[in-house]
Amino acid sequence: ILDSMDEDISQLSDISERFSKIGSKPQLKNLSISELISDVSDYIKNRLPKQSGIVITNSGDSNITTKGDWILLSWALENIMKNAVDAIGTGKGEISLVILKNEIGIQLDISDTGKGIPRTDWKNIFRPGYSSKRRGWGLGLSLTQRIVEEIHGGSIQVLSSEPGETIFRINFPL
């Protein structure tokens, strides 16, 4: 019980820190993208139902670093991955994170085998208040876009989406 309480207190502390950082100019420090991805993946895996058939895989260059805010970037990835879990639902599925470094910068593709996003909603999903779910405030992806684009100078987009495969692409400058 104490371990669970410590974890809950830590989570509440993270939530408080997230909201305090979103309203101020955060300190961007060198961080390992693969460590960040691994950390968020582990967090999501630990919260999946025991009977979940969802598999999360990470691949790509493990030596890529960038300047960023760990707390905010982990929040952004968490938002995308939670949406992927919801899109897959209770069945089997996969969430895959692939990181590459190219001449333009750092590219992170996050794909899932969920129900997909209709093409007409690709722009709407980043609008505050938009949600295709019955519950929720529709803020996750708008916050994610703000974290990636305004705070970290990157970009986020739906690269493709159809039932069985949705790919989000996040680009960060070198």
mmCIF file of all heavy atoms in Angstrom, residues 7-27 36 39-44 47 69-82 139-141 143-144 146-147 151-152:
data_model
loop_
_atom_site.group_PDB
_atom_site.id
_atom_site.type_symbol
_atom_site.label_atom_id
_atom_site.label_comp_id
_atom_site.label_asym_id
_atom_site.label_seq_id
_atom_site.Cartn_x
_atom_site.Cartn_y
_atom_site.Cartn_z
ATOM 1 N N GLU A 7 3.657 6.187 -5.283
ATOM 2 C CA GLU A 7 3.488 6.350 -6.725
ATOM 3 C C GLU A 7 2.398 7.387 -7.018
ATOM 4 O O GLU A 7 2.547 8.236 -7.904
ATOM 5 C CB GLU A 7 3.132 5.009 -7.365
ATOM 6 C CG GLU A 7 3.190 5.016 -8.865
ATOM 7 C CD GLU A 7 2.971 3.630 -9.437
ATOM 8 O OE1 GLU A 7 3.630 2.682 -8.996
ATOM 9 O OE2 GLU A 7 2.127 3.534 -10.348
ATOM 10 N N ASP A 8 1.300 7.331 -6.266
ATOM 11 C CA ASP A 8 0.209 8.297 -6.453
ATOM 12 C C ASP A 8 0.667 9.712 -6.119
ATOM 13 O O ASP A 8 0.337 10.667 -6.837
ATOM 14 C CB ASP A 8 -0.992 7.929 -5.580
ATOM 15 C CG ASP A 8 -1.733 6.694 -6.080
ATOM 16 O OD1 ASP A 8 -1.501 6.294 -7.241
ATOM 17 O OD2 ASP A 8 -2.524 6.132 -5.302
ATOM 18 N N ILE A 9 1.422 9.871 -5.045
ATOM 19 C CA ILE A 9 1.929 11.186 -4.665
ATOM 20 C C ILE A 9 2.877 11.716 -5.733
ATOM 21 O O ILE A 9 2.826 12.889 -6.105
ATOM 22 C CB ILE A 9 2.608 11.133 -3.275
ATOM 23 C CG1 ILE A 9 1.541 10.929 -2.195
ATOM 24 C CG2 ILE A 9 3.415 12.397 -3.010
ATOM 25 C CD1 ILE A 9 2.096 10.612 -0.827
ATOM 26 N N SER A 10 3.726 10.850 -6.249
ATOM 27 C CA SER A 10 4.637 11.241 -7.316
ATOM 28 C C SER A 10 3.857 11.678 -8.558
ATOM 29 O O SER A 10 4.206 12.683 -9.201
ATOM 30 C CB SER A 10 5.577 10.085 -7.649
ATOM 31 O OG SER A 10 6.397 10.397 -8.723
ATOM 32 N N GLN A 11 2.808 10.940 -8.897
ATOM 33 C CA GLN A 11 1.986 11.286 -10.054
ATOM 34 C C GLN A 11 1.306 12.639 -9.861
ATOM 35 O O GLN A 11 1.271 13.462 -10.768
ATOM 36 C CB GLN A 11 0.946 10.183 -10.310
ATOM 37 C CG GLN A 11 0.104 10.401 -11.544
ATOM 38 C CD GLN A 11 0.885 10.323 -12.837
ATOM 39 O OE1 GLN A 11 1.999 9.834 -12.890
ATOM 40 N NE2 GLN A 11 0.310 10.829 -13.897
ATOM 41 N N LEU A 12 0.771 12.894 -8.672
ATOM 42 C CA LEU A 12 0.143 14.185 -8.391
ATOM 43 C C LEU A 12 1.155 15.323 -8.470
ATOM 44 O O LEU A 12 0.847 16.408 -8.958
ATOM 45 C CB LEU A 12 -0.534 14.159 -7.016
ATOM 46 C CG LEU A 12 -1.808 13.322 -6.928
ATOM 47 C CD1 LEU A 12 -2.258 13.190 -5.474
ATOM 48 C CD2 LEU A 12 -2.908 13.924 -7.783
ATOM 49 N N SER A 13 2.364 15.070 -8.007
ATOM 50 C CA SER A 13 3.430 16.063 -8.092
ATOM 51 C C SER A 13 3.750 16.375 -9.550
ATOM 52 O O SER A 13 3.928 17.531 -9.931
ATOM 53 C CB SER A 13 4.668 15.560 -7.358
ATOM 54 O OG SER A 13 5.730 16.450 -7.514
ATOM 55 N N ASP A 14 3.827 15.329 -10.382
ATOM 56 C CA ASP A 14 4.089 15.512 -11.811
ATOM 57 C C ASP A 14 2.985 16.338 -12.471
ATOM 58 O O ASP A 14 3.260 17.225 -13.290
ATOM 59 C CB ASP A 14 4.211 14.167 -12.528
ATOM 60 C CG ASP A 14 5.511 13.450 -12.251
ATOM 61 O OD1 ASP A 14 6.422 14.064 -11.658
ATOM 62 O OD2 ASP A 14 5.620 12.263 -12.626
ATOM 63 N N ILE A 15 1.730 16.047 -12.123
ATOM 64 C CA ILE A 15 0.609 16.779 -12.704
ATOM 65 C C ILE A 15 0.699 18.253 -12.339
ATOM 66 O O ILE A 15 0.533 19.138 -13.183
ATOM 67 C CB ILE A 15 -0.737 16.167 -12.251
ATOM 68 C CG1 ILE A 15 -0.918 14.793 -12.905
ATOM 69 C CG2 ILE A 15 -1.906 17.094 -12.598
ATOM 70 C CD1 ILE A 15 -2.050 13.975 -12.324
ATOM 71 N N SER A 16 0.995 18.528 -11.084
ATOM 72 C CA SER A 16 1.144 19.915 -10.628
ATOM 73 C C SER A 16 2.278 20.609 -11.381
ATOM 74 O O SER A 16 2.130 21.748 -11.833
ATOM 75 C CB SER A 16 1.422 19.924 -9.121
ATOM 76 O OG SER A 16 1.721 21.206 -8.688
ATOM 77 N N GLU A 17 3.396 19.906 -11.535
ATOM 78 C CA GLU A 17 4.540 20.491 -12.242
ATOM 79 C C GLU A 17 4.220 20.733 -13.713
ATOM 80 O O GLU A 17 4.631 21.736 -14.290
ATOM 81 C CB GLU A 17 5.758 19.584 -12.094
ATOM 82 C CG GLU A 17 7.030 20.229 -12.568
ATOM 83 C CD GLU A 17 8.281 19.436 -12.223
ATOM 84 O OE1 GLU A 17 8.186 18.409 -11.531
ATOM 85 O OE2 GLU A 17 9.350 19.859 -12.661
ATOM 86 N N ARG A 18 3.455 19.825 -14.325
ATOM 87 C CA ARG A 18 3.074 19.995 -15.725
ATOM 88 C C ARG A 18 2.327 21.305 -15.928
ATOM 89 O O ARG A 18 2.641 22.083 -16.823
ATOM 90 C CB ARG A 18 2.184 18.832 -16.180
ATOM 91 C CG ARG A 18 2.898 17.542 -16.362
ATOM 92 C CD ARG A 18 1.914 16.434 -16.632
ATOM 93 N NE ARG A 18 2.602 15.177 -16.880
ATOM 94 C CZ ARG A 18 1.979 14.029 -17.080
ATOM 95 N NH1 ARG A 18 0.661 13.968 -17.052
ATOM 96 N NH2 ARG A 18 2.683 12.934 -17.292
ATOM 97 N N PHE A 19 1.321 21.538 -15.118
ATOM 98 C CA PHE A 19 0.515 22.739 -15.282
ATOM 99 C C PHE A 19 1.282 24.006 -14.945
ATOM 100 O O PHE A 19 1.063 25.045 -15.550
ATOM 101 C CB PHE A 19 -0.789 22.635 -14.481
ATOM 102 C CG PHE A 19 -1.815 21.790 -15.176
ATOM 103 C CD1 PHE A 19 -2.071 20.498 -14.749
ATOM 104 C CD2 PHE A 19 -2.510 22.280 -16.266
ATOM 105 C CE1 PHE A 19 -3.012 19.706 -15.398
ATOM 106 C CE2 PHE A 19 -3.451 21.500 -16.927
ATOM 107 C CZ PHE A 19 -3.702 20.209 -16.480
ATOM 108 N N SER A 20 2.217 23.927 -14.007
ATOM 109 C CA SER A 20 3.009 25.122 -13.702
ATOM 110 C C SER A 20 3.963 25.439 -14.846
ATOM 111 O O SER A 20 4.231 26.599 -15.135
ATOM 112 C CB SER A 20 3.782 24.957 -12.386
ATOM 113 O OG SER A 20 4.837 24.050 -12.521
ATOM 114 N N LYS A 21 4.457 24.415 -15.539
ATOM 115 C CA LYS A 21 5.391 24.632 -16.645
ATOM 116 C C LYS A 21 4.682 25.135 -17.907
ATOM 117 O O LYS A 21 5.277 25.853 -18.690
ATOM 118 C CB LYS A 21 6.141 23.339 -16.966
ATOM 119 C CG LYS A 21 7.211 23.006 -15.958
ATOM 120 C CD LYS A 21 7.894 21.697 -16.326
ATOM 121 C CE LYS A 21 8.997 21.387 -15.377
ATOM 122 N NZ LYS A 21 10.304 21.753 -15.867
ATOM 123 N N ILE A 22 3.430 24.723 -18.097
ATOM 124 C CA ILE A 22 2.733 25.093 -19.322
ATOM 125 C C ILE A 22 2.496 26.602 -19.380
ATOM 126 O O ILE A 22 2.397 27.182 -20.437
ATOM 127 C CB ILE A 22 1.417 24.290 -19.485
ATOM 128 C CG1 ILE A 22 1.037 24.144 -20.957
ATOM 129 C CG2 ILE A 22 0.274 24.906 -18.736
ATOM 130 C CD1 ILE A 22 1.841 23.186 -21.728
ATOM 131 N N GLY A 23 2.472 27.262 -18.227
ATOM 132 C CA GLY A 23 2.234 28.692 -18.199
ATOM 133 C C GLY A 23 3.491 29.531 -18.099
ATOM 134 O O GLY A 23 3.420 30.749 -18.035
ATOM 135 N N SER A 24 4.651 28.894 -18.098
ATOM 136 C CA SER A 24 5.903 29.651 -17.986
ATOM 137 C C SER A 24 6.904 29.146 -19.012
ATOM 138 O O SER A 24 6.669 28.148 -19.679
ATOM 139 C CB SER A 24 6.476 29.501 -16.569
ATOM 140 O OG SER A 24 6.787 28.144 -16.308
ATOM 141 N N LYS A 25 8.023 29.826 -19.119
ATOM 142 C CA LYS A 25 9.064 29.410 -20.064
ATOM 143 C C LYS A 25 9.937 28.346 -19.386
ATOM 144 O O LYS A 25 10.697 28.666 -18.474
ATOM 145 C CB LYS A 25 9.902 30.614 -20.482
ATOM 146 C CG LYS A 25 10.894 30.279 -21.577
ATOM 147 C CD LYS A 25 11.504 31.551 -22.136
ATOM 148 C CE LYS A 25 12.609 31.246 -23.115
ATOM 149 N NZ LYS A 25 12.149 30.751 -24.380
ATOM 150 N N PRO A 26 9.825 27.098 -19.830
ATOM 151 C CA PRO A 26 10.585 26.028 -19.179
ATOM 152 C C PRO A 26 12.065 26.053 -19.572
ATOM 153 O O PRO A 26 12.441 26.607 -20.601
ATOM 154 C CB PRO A 26 9.916 24.747 -19.679
ATOM 155 C CG PRO A 26 9.246 25.128 -20.941
ATOM 156 C CD PRO A 26 8.932 26.593 -20.853
ATOM 157 N N GLN A 27 12.875 25.471 -18.722
ATOM 158 C CA GLN A 27 14.303 25.307 -18.989
ATOM 159 C C GLN A 27 14.476 24.072 -19.869
ATOM 160 O O GLN A 27 14.126 22.968 -19.462
ATOM 161 C CB GLN A 27 15.057 25.104 -17.672
ATOM 162 C CG GLN A 27 14.946 26.260 -16.718
ATOM 163 C CD GLN A 27 15.884 27.385 -17.098
ATOM 164 O OE1 GLN A 27 16.959 27.142 -17.625
ATOM 165 N NE2 GLN A 27 15.473 28.606 -16.834
ATOM 166 N N LEU A 36 13.324 8.833 -22.730
ATOM 167 C CA LEU A 36 12.009 9.445 -22.540
ATOM 168 C C LEU A 36 10.915 8.507 -23.049
ATOM 169 O O LEU A 36 9.927 8.254 -22.356
ATOM 170 C CB LEU A 36 11.949 10.789 -23.273
ATOM 171 C CG LEU A 36 10.620 11.532 -23.222
ATOM 172 C CD1 LEU A 36 10.427 12.192 -21.860
ATOM 173 C CD2 LEU A 36 10.551 12.575 -24.320
ATOM 174 N N ASP A 39 10.553 5.493 -20.785
ATOM 175 C CA ASP A 39 9.910 5.868 -19.529
ATOM 176 C C ASP A 39 8.390 5.979 -19.705
ATOM 177 O O ASP A 39 7.618 5.438 -18.910
ATOM 178 C CB ASP A 39 10.505 7.195 -19.046
ATOM 179 C CG ASP A 39 10.101 7.561 -17.639
ATOM 180 O OD1 ASP A 39 10.295 6.716 -16.735
ATOM 181 O OD2 ASP A 39 9.607 8.684 -17.434
ATOM 182 N N VAL A 40 7.959 6.666 -20.746
ATOM 183 C CA VAL A 40 6.524 6.841 -20.989
ATOM 184 C C VAL A 40 5.888 5.506 -21.374
ATOM 185 O O VAL A 40 4.788 5.181 -20.914
ATOM 186 C CB VAL A 40 6.261 7.917 -22.069
ATOM 187 C CG1 VAL A 40 4.779 7.996 -22.418
ATOM 188 C CG2 VAL A 40 6.762 9.270 -21.596
ATOM 189 N N SER A 41 6.578 4.706 -22.182
ATOM 190 C CA SER A 41 6.057 3.394 -22.564
ATOM 191 C C SER A 41 5.836 2.514 -21.338
ATOM 192 O O SER A 41 4.804 1.846 -21.214
ATOM 193 C CB SER A 41 7.005 2.691 -23.540
ATOM 194 O OG SER A 41 7.069 3.391 -24.756
ATOM 195 N N ASP A 42 6.806 2.509 -20.431
ATOM 196 C CA ASP A 42 6.675 1.724 -19.201
ATOM 197 C C ASP A 42 5.495 2.211 -18.375
ATOM 198 O O ASP A 42 4.736 1.415 -17.817
ATOM 199 C CB ASP A 42 7.959 1.782 -18.368
ATOM 200 C CG ASP A 42 9.099 0.999 -18.987
ATOM 201 O OD1 ASP A 42 8.850 0.185 -19.901
ATOM 202 O OD2 ASP A 42 10.255 1.209 -18.563
ATOM 203 N N TYR A 43 5.316 3.528 -18.290
ATOM 204 C CA TYR A 43 4.203 4.104 -17.544
ATOM 205 C C TYR A 43 2.869 3.626 -18.125
ATOM 206 O O TYR A 43 1.972 3.204 -17.389
ATOM 207 C CB TYR A 43 4.288 5.637 -17.571
ATOM 208 C CG TYR A 43 3.092 6.320 -16.965
ATOM 209 C CD1 TYR A 43 2.964 6.424 -15.582
ATOM 210 C CD2 TYR A 43 2.088 6.845 -17.769
ATOM 211 C CE1 TYR A 43 1.855 7.043 -15.017
ATOM 212 C CE2 TYR A 43 0.982 7.468 -17.214
ATOM 213 C CZ TYR A 43 0.876 7.556 -15.838
ATOM 214 O OH TYR A 43 -0.235 8.157 -15.291
ATOM 215 N N ILE A 44 2.735 3.686 -19.442
ATOM 216 C CA ILE A 44 1.486 3.266 -20.099
ATOM 217 C C ILE A 44 1.284 1.760 -19.919
ATOM 218 O O ILE A 44 0.176 1.315 -19.591
ATOM 219 C CB ILE A 44 1.490 3.647 -21.601
ATOM 220 C CG1 ILE A 44 1.549 5.170 -21.782
ATOM 221 C CG2 ILE A 44 0.285 3.050 -22.327
ATOM 222 C CD1 ILE A 44 0.332 5.941 -21.328
ATOM 223 N N ARG A 47 -0.238 0.676 -16.725
ATOM 224 C CA ARG A 47 -1.611 1.082 -16.496
ATOM 225 C C ARG A 47 -2.605 0.379 -17.413
ATOM 226 O O ARG A 47 -3.811 0.628 -17.324
ATOM 227 C CB ARG A 47 -1.742 2.598 -16.623
ATOM 228 C CG ARG A 47 -1.360 3.234 -15.305
ATOM 229 C CD ARG A 47 -0.601 4.500 -15.438
ATOM 230 N NE ARG A 47 -0.106 4.948 -14.141
ATOM 231 C CZ ARG A 47 1.024 4.530 -13.577
ATOM 232 N NH1 ARG A 47 1.769 3.621 -14.169
ATOM 233 N NH2 ARG A 47 1.418 4.991 -12.403
ATOM 234 N N ASP A 69 12.207 19.723 -22.362
ATOM 235 C CA ASP A 69 11.720 19.641 -20.996
ATOM 236 C C ASP A 69 11.111 18.254 -20.815
ATOM 237 O O ASP A 69 10.109 17.919 -21.444
ATOM 238 C CB ASP A 69 10.673 20.725 -20.736
ATOM 239 C CG ASP A 69 10.198 20.717 -19.307
ATOM 240 O OD1 ASP A 69 9.400 19.816 -18.956
ATOM 241 O OD2 ASP A 69 10.626 21.595 -18.535
ATOM 242 N N TRP A 70 11.743 17.443 -19.965
ATOM 243 C CA TRP A 70 11.347 16.048 -19.758
ATOM 244 C C TRP A 70 9.879 15.935 -19.364
ATOM 245 O O TRP A 70 9.138 15.121 -19.926
ATOM 246 C CB TRP A 70 12.247 15.406 -18.691
ATOM 247 C CG TRP A 70 11.997 13.956 -18.486
ATOM 248 C CD1 TRP A 70 10.993 13.378 -17.751
ATOM 249 C CD2 TRP A 70 12.737 12.869 -19.040
ATOM 250 N NE1 TRP A 70 11.084 12.006 -17.807
ATOM 251 C CE2 TRP A 70 12.146 11.681 -18.590
ATOM 252 C CE3 TRP A 70 13.861 12.809 -19.863
ATOM 253 C CZ2 TRP A 70 12.634 10.421 -18.934
ATOM 254 C CZ3 TRP A 70 14.348 11.552 -20.204
ATOM 255 C CH2 TRP A 70 13.733 10.379 -19.746
ATOM 256 N N ILE A 71 9.462 16.723 -18.398
ATOM 257 C CA ILE A 71 8.091 16.640 -17.879
ATOM 258 C C ILE A 71 7.079 16.935 -18.983
ATOM 259 O O ILE A 71 6.102 16.195 -19.166
ATOM 260 C CB ILE A 71 7.884 17.626 -16.700
ATOM 261 C CG1 ILE A 71 8.782 17.273 -15.517
ATOM 262 C CG2 ILE A 71 6.416 17.690 -16.279
ATOM 263 C CD1 ILE A 71 8.405 16.024 -14.772
ATOM 264 N N LEU A 72 7.302 17.993 -19.749
ATOM 265 C CA LEU A 72 6.343 18.365 -20.787
ATOM 266 C C LEU A 72 6.343 17.391 -21.958
ATOM 267 O O LEU A 72 5.274 17.019 -22.461
ATOM 268 C CB LEU A 72 6.618 19.793 -21.265
ATOM 269 C CG LEU A 72 6.348 20.890 -20.234
ATOM 270 C CD1 LEU A 72 6.716 22.248 -20.800
ATOM 271 C CD2 LEU A 72 4.908 20.863 -19.752
ATOM 272 N N LEU A 73 7.521 16.956 -22.386
ATOM 273 C CA LEU A 73 7.566 16.005 -23.508
ATOM 274 C C LEU A 73 6.969 14.656 -23.119
ATOM 275 O O LEU A 73 6.302 14.009 -23.930
ATOM 276 C CB LEU A 73 8.999 15.840 -24.018
ATOM 277 C CG LEU A 73 9.537 17.022 -24.824
ATOM 278 C CD1 LEU A 73 11.003 16.801 -25.184
ATOM 279 C CD2 LEU A 73 8.699 17.264 -26.080
ATOM 280 N N SER A 74 7.185 14.237 -21.876
ATOM 281 C CA SER A 74 6.581 12.968 -21.449
ATOM 282 C C SER A 74 5.058 13.108 -21.428
ATOM 283 O O SER A 74 4.333 12.181 -21.793
ATOM 284 C CB SER A 74 7.129 12.516 -20.098
ATOM 285 O OG SER A 74 6.802 13.406 -19.071
ATOM 286 N N TRP A 75 4.559 14.278 -21.042
ATOM 287 C CA TRP A 75 3.116 14.529 -21.058
ATOM 288 C C TRP A 75 2.580 14.451 -22.483
ATOM 289 O O TRP A 75 1.534 13.852 -22.732
ATOM 290 C CB TRP A 75 2.863 15.894 -20.452
ATOM 291 C CG TRP A 75 1.446 16.241 -20.126
ATOM 292 C CD1 TRP A 75 0.349 15.413 -20.092
ATOM 293 C CD2 TRP A 75 0.964 17.528 -19.756
ATOM 294 N NE1 TRP A 75 -0.761 16.115 -19.724
ATOM 295 C CE2 TRP A 75 -0.428 17.412 -19.507
ATOM 296 C CE3 TRP A 75 1.567 18.765 -19.596
ATOM 297 C CZ2 TRP A 75 -1.206 18.491 -19.124
ATOM 298 C CZ3 TRP A 75 0.782 19.838 -19.206
ATOM 299 C CH2 TRP A 75 -0.588 19.702 -18.979
ATOM 300 N N ALA A 76 3.296 15.046 -23.422
ATOM 301 C CA ALA A 76 2.865 15.025 -24.824
ATOM 302 C C ALA A 76 2.794 13.589 -25.354
ATOM 303 O O ALA A 76 1.792 13.189 -25.962
ATOM 304 C CB ALA A 76 3.813 15.866 -25.677
ATOM 305 N N LEU A 77 3.835 12.809 -25.110
ATOM 306 C CA LEU A 77 3.839 11.412 -25.568
ATOM 307 C C LEU A 77 2.745 10.602 -24.879
ATOM 308 O O LEU A 77 2.083 9.771 -25.509
ATOM 309 C CB LEU A 77 5.196 10.767 -25.315
ATOM 310 C CG LEU A 77 6.347 11.231 -26.193
ATOM 311 C CD1 LEU A 77 7.637 10.522 -25.797
ATOM 312 C CD2 LEU A 77 6.040 10.986 -27.658
ATOM 313 N N GLU A 78 2.579 10.845 -23.601
ATOM 314 C CA GLU A 78 1.547 10.147 -22.837
ATOM 315 C C GLU A 78 0.168 10.412 -23.433
ATOM 316 O O GLU A 78 -0.646 9.491 -23.564
ATOM 317 C CB GLU A 78 1.615 10.621 -21.388
ATOM 318 C CG GLU A 78 0.798 9.843 -20.420
ATOM 319 C CD GLU A 78 0.953 10.398 -19.013
ATOM 320 O OE1 GLU A 78 2.098 10.532 -18.532
ATOM 321 O OE2 GLU A 78 -0.092 10.696 -18.400
ATOM 322 N N ASN A 79 -0.114 11.656 -23.804
ATOM 323 C CA ASN A 79 -1.404 11.997 -24.406
ATOM 324 C C ASN A 79 -1.640 11.207 -25.690
ATOM 325 O O ASN A 79 -2.723 10.661 -25.904
ATOM 326 C CB ASN A 79 -1.490 13.495 -24.704
ATOM 327 C CG ASN A 79 -1.684 14.331 -23.469
ATOM 328 O OD1 ASN A 79 -2.232 13.880 -22.471
ATOM 329 N ND2 ASN A 79 -1.222 15.572 -23.523
ATOM 330 N N ILE A 80 -0.639 11.141 -26.557
ATOM 331 C CA ILE A 80 -0.788 10.413 -27.822
ATOM 332 C C ILE A 80 -0.968 8.926 -27.562
ATOM 333 O O ILE A 80 -1.828 8.277 -28.162
ATOM 334 C CB ILE A 80 0.427 10.662 -28.744
ATOM 335 C CG1 ILE A 80 0.477 12.131 -29.154
ATOM 336 C CG2 ILE A 80 0.359 9.764 -29.982
ATOM 337 C CD1 ILE A 80 1.750 12.524 -29.879
ATOM 338 N N MET A 81 -0.176 8.392 -26.633
ATOM 339 C CA MET A 81 -0.257 6.953 -26.366
ATOM 340 C C MET A 81 -1.564 6.571 -25.677
ATOM 341 O O MET A 81 -2.132 5.507 -25.964
ATOM 342 C CB MET A 81 0.955 6.505 -25.564
ATOM 343 C CG MET A 81 2.242 6.595 -26.393
ATOM 344 S SD MET A 81 3.699 6.131 -25.480
ATOM 345 C CE MET A 81 3.463 4.367 -25.345
ATOM 346 N N LYS A 82 -2.080 7.415 -24.807
ATOM 347 C CA LYS A 82 -3.377 7.133 -24.177
ATOM 348 C C LYS A 82 -4.484 7.136 -25.233
ATOM 349 O O LYS A 82 -5.393 6.304 -25.189
ATOM 350 C CB LYS A 82 -3.677 8.156 -23.082
ATOM 351 C CG LYS A 82 -2.927 7.904 -21.799
ATOM 352 C CD LYS A 82 -3.290 8.948 -20.761
ATOM 353 C CE LYS A 82 -2.593 8.698 -19.445
ATOM 354 N NZ LYS A 82 -2.887 9.745 -18.450
ATOM 355 N N LEU A 139 -8.584 18.204 -24.583
ATOM 356 C CA LEU A 139 -7.418 19.070 -24.416
ATOM 357 C C LEU A 139 -6.089 18.355 -24.652
ATOM 358 O O LEU A 139 -5.074 19.014 -24.839
ATOM 359 C CB LEU A 139 -7.412 19.679 -23.005
ATOM 360 C CG LEU A 139 -8.574 20.610 -22.693
ATOM 361 C CD1 LEU A 139 -8.516 21.058 -21.239
ATOM 362 C CD2 LEU A 139 -8.572 21.793 -23.628
ATOM 363 N N GLY A 140 -6.072 17.038 -24.639
ATOM 364 C CA GLY A 140 -4.821 16.288 -24.726
ATOM 365 C C GLY A 140 -3.979 16.618 -25.941
ATOM 366 O O GLY A 140 -2.802 16.968 -25.818
ATOM 367 N N LEU A 141 -4.568 16.541 -27.125
ATOM 368 C CA LEU A 141 -3.782 16.791 -28.333
ATOM 369 C C LEU A 141 -3.505 18.273 -28.561
ATOM 370 O O LEU A 141 -2.479 18.625 -29.134
ATOM 371 C CB LEU A 141 -4.443 16.161 -29.558
ATOM 372 C CG LEU A 141 -4.371 14.635 -29.607
ATOM 373 C CD1 LEU A 141 -5.124 14.098 -30.821
ATOM 374 C CD2 LEU A 141 -2.939 14.142 -29.604
ATOM 375 N N LEU A 143 -2.864 20.378 -26.093
ATOM 376 C CA LEU A 143 -1.707 20.590 -25.216
ATOM 377 C C LEU A 143 -0.448 19.980 -25.826
ATOM 378 O O LEU A 143 0.625 20.579 -25.777
ATOM 379 C CB LEU A 143 -1.960 19.996 -23.834
ATOM 380 C CG LEU A 143 -2.835 20.817 -22.898
ATOM 381 C CD1 LEU A 143 -3.224 20.001 -21.682
ATOM 382 C CD2 LEU A 143 -2.132 22.091 -22.484
ATOM 383 N N THR A 144 -0.596 18.796 -26.391
ATOM 384 C CA THR A 144 0.542 18.130 -27.036
ATOM 385 C C THR A 144 1.099 19.002 -28.155
ATOM 386 O O THR A 144 2.314 19.193 -28.260
ATOM 387 C CB THR A 144 0.121 16.747 -27.578
ATOM 388 O OG1 THR A 144 -0.246 15.929 -26.461
ATOM 389 C CG2 THR A 144 1.228 16.089 -28.368
ATOM 390 N N ARG A 146 0.854 22.229 -28.492
ATOM 391 C CA ARG A 146 1.497 23.411 -27.903
ATOM 392 C C ARG A 146 2.876 23.058 -27.347
ATOM 393 O O ARG A 146 3.844 23.801 -27.539
ATOM 394 C CB ARG A 146 0.615 23.992 -26.804
ATOM 395 C CG ARG A 146 1.219 25.221 -26.203
ATOM 396 C CD ARG A 146 0.272 25.955 -25.304
ATOM 397 N NE ARG A 146 0.965 27.117 -24.772
ATOM 398 C CZ ARG A 146 0.557 27.818 -23.762
ATOM 399 N NH1 ARG A 146 -0.567 27.518 -23.163
ATOM 400 N NH2 ARG A 146 1.243 28.849 -23.333
ATOM 401 N N ILE A 147 2.983 21.926 -26.657
ATOM 402 C CA ILE A 147 4.266 21.494 -26.089
ATOM 403 C C ILE A 147 5.291 21.277 -27.196
ATOM 404 O O ILE A 147 6.434 21.731 -27.115
ATOM 405 C CB ILE A 147 4.086 20.217 -25.243
ATOM 406 C CG1 ILE A 147 3.305 20.541 -23.959
ATOM 407 C CG2 ILE A 147 5.429 19.571 -24.919
ATOM 408 C CD1 ILE A 147 2.775 19.316 -23.218
ATOM 409 N N ILE A 151 6.724 25.286 -27.495
ATOM 410 C CA ILE A 151 7.777 25.212 -26.480
ATOM 411 C C ILE A 151 9.059 24.593 -27.027
ATOM 412 O O ILE A 151 10.156 25.031 -26.694
ATOM 413 C CB ILE A 151 7.277 24.455 -25.234
ATOM 414 C CG1 ILE A 151 6.120 25.239 -24.598
ATOM 415 C CG2 ILE A 151 8.405 24.222 -24.226
ATOM 416 C CD1 ILE A 151 5.412 24.543 -23.467
ATOM 417 N N HIS A 152 8.928 23.590 -27.912
ATOM 418 C CA HIS A 152 10.108 22.877 -28.402
ATOM 419 C C HIS A 152 10.453 23.160 -29.861
ATOM 420 O O HIS A 152 11.410 22.601 -30.389
ATOM 421 C CB HIS A 152 9.939 21.373 -28.174
ATOM 422 C CG HIS A 152 9.973 21.013 -26.718
ATOM 423 N ND1 HIS A 152 8.850 21.014 -25.928
ATOM 424 C CD2 HIS A 152 11.008 20.687 -25.916
ATOM 425 C CE1 HIS A 152 9.185 20.681 -24.697
ATOM 426 N NE2 HIS A 152 10.488 20.484 -24.656
#
